[in-house]
Structures are given as C-alpha cells and as structure tokens.
Amino acid sequence: EGGSISIGAWEERILLDILVIATGSEASLHTLPRDLIDHFDITSLEYLSDKSVEQEIVLSSLEQVNSSLSPSTLAQAVEIGSRTRSHSDVGRGVSTRGIIRYAELLASYQTMLSENDNLRPAAQVTLPHRLELPLEVDGAGKREQIIDEIVDEVLGVQETGKKLIAFTKADLSALVEDTGGVATYPAI
C-alpha cells in the first residue's frame, strides 16, 4: 500500500523490506489492532524430536558461555526436559531454550554440589514455571511434583509413596464431615 501501514487513526511509513521475527503464542498476536495483524504470517514450530540434535544445541550454547557438563549429565538434562513434553498432566512442556537454562544452572551448580546431587535442585529452580498445565490439574505444588516425578524416573529412583493430592472444594466437602464442631477425616 505504497509503503505505509494504517493502524486505526495513525498512518505510519514503514519500509516494505522489513522482516520481523518474534516468538510467542498466537493469542498474543491477537492483542494487536486488526489493521496490523493483516501484515503478519504465523509459523508454528514444534519441539525437536531428535534428542541428539537437542543435546548438540544445548552443548553449543554451554560452550558459548564457557561452561560444560559431563555427557551423562547433559543427556539426563535433555531427557528430563523432553519428558515434560509427554507427561500426561502437562499441556506444554519445557522448550529447548528452557533446557539450555537448566543446563547452564547445572554447570554452575557443579562448583557447589556433586554431579549426582544437582539435577533435582537445578530442575526445581529452572523448570516448574516453564510448564503449562490445564486449569483442572494446576494447583499449589503440582508443577514441582511433576518435575520431581520426572527426575526420579530419569535417575531410576523408586517412588517413596508420598504424593501430592489436589482436591476441589467438592472433594473436600465430601471428605470432611462436621460433627458438632469437630471435623473428622475418613481414612484415605
């Protein structure tokens, strides 16, 4: 349109050879005015399916910041991140970028903890907030529980029997009987 874009009442002159590349959800694009949305194309990217390629990307990123991990720790980090994507309670798992941040923290933890002891604390710092959970599953501590389950699976740790249970208001009402001001809880 002659090198200009109309956005509502404003007309802005923008060169036509500009390319904007951005990341985000399609929902965030729809916060822009319709006049501007017409000038965008949406390309969806999927997770990497080849773990060895993902390991190479993470390793390359670590080398750029002068950090390193043992091959086994690197493989475990990528496996932990990858398993978040297929967990039954997770809507969207950790991206490759999230795994890179996890690996960077693991590399820095090497100076404080032994290699066997740093996977879980680093995972709990860098991964839970990167998970997108459906509303019916998301609750206090659920993201951390999912990360712990995945770390346990990757490390081959046997489950201790402790499990966080999320209750709805209706569930709690059904479990608690009020008897003269004293709440009794049935055995679960």
Side-chain angles (χ1 to χ4, degrees):
E1 298 172 24
S4 65
I5 296 176
S6 297
I7 304 172
W10 298 282
E11 189 164 309
E12 187 69 33
R13 188 147 184 80
I14 299 176
L15 297 175
L16 295 179
D17 62 349
I18 291 178
L19 174 66
V20 177
I21 299 176
T23 61
S25 70
E26 190 173 337
S28 61
L29 182 63
H30 292 289
T31 61
L32 298 172
R34 285 196 188 273
D35 296 344
L36 190 56
I37 292 174
D38 289 341
H39 297 278
F40 284 87
D41 291 322
I42 298 171
T43 303
S44 297
L45 302 175
E46 301 295 323
Y47 294 119
L48 293 172
S49 58
D50 188 347
K51 290 179 190 166
S52 63
V53 171
E54 197 162 29
Q55 283 183 23
E56 289 175 30
I57 291 169
V58 173
L59 182 61
S60 172
S61 180
L62 285 174
E63 289 169 351
Q64 289 177 8
V65 294
N66 295 322
S67 295
S68 64
L69 288 175
S70 71
S72 64
T73 301
L74 177 62
Q76 288 174 320
V78 170
E79 182 64 26
I80 289 167
S82 177
R83 286 192 186 198
T84 65
R85 301 168 189 163
S86 59
H87 192 279
S88 61
D89 290 339
V90 176
R92 182 179 51 108
V94 176
S95 67
T96 302
R97 198 174 351 176
I99 296 172
I100 289 170
R101 297 297 165 254
Y102 177 39
E104 288 172 353
L105 188 61
L106 280 170
S108 68
Y109 270 24
Q110 289 181 59
T111 60
M112 297 180 282
L113 302 169
S114 73
E115 193 169 293
N116 295 334
D117 296 333
N118 61 13
L119 284 168
R120 187 177 313 277
Q124 287 297 341
V125 170
T126 59
L127 301 180
H129 69 279
R130 298 177 191 278
L131 301 179
E132 186 177 290
L133 304 180
L135 288 175
E136 65 273 7
V137 175
D138 201 0
K142 183 63 176 179
R143 294 164 193 264
E144 291 79 6
Q145 177 190 358
I146 290 170
I147 296 301
D148 274 341
E149 286 174 14
I150 292 170
V151 170
D152 285 345
E153 289 172 9
V154 170
L155 293 176
V157 175
Q158 296 298 319
E159 197 170 308
T160 61
K162 292 182 183 177
K163 193 166 190 166
L164 183 64
I165 301 172
F167 290 106
T168 64
K169 186 176 180 179
D171 292 337
L172 288 175
S173 295
L175 287 174
V176 178
E177 289 182 29
D178 189 20
T179 56
V182 178
T184 59
Y185 301 92
I188 298 177

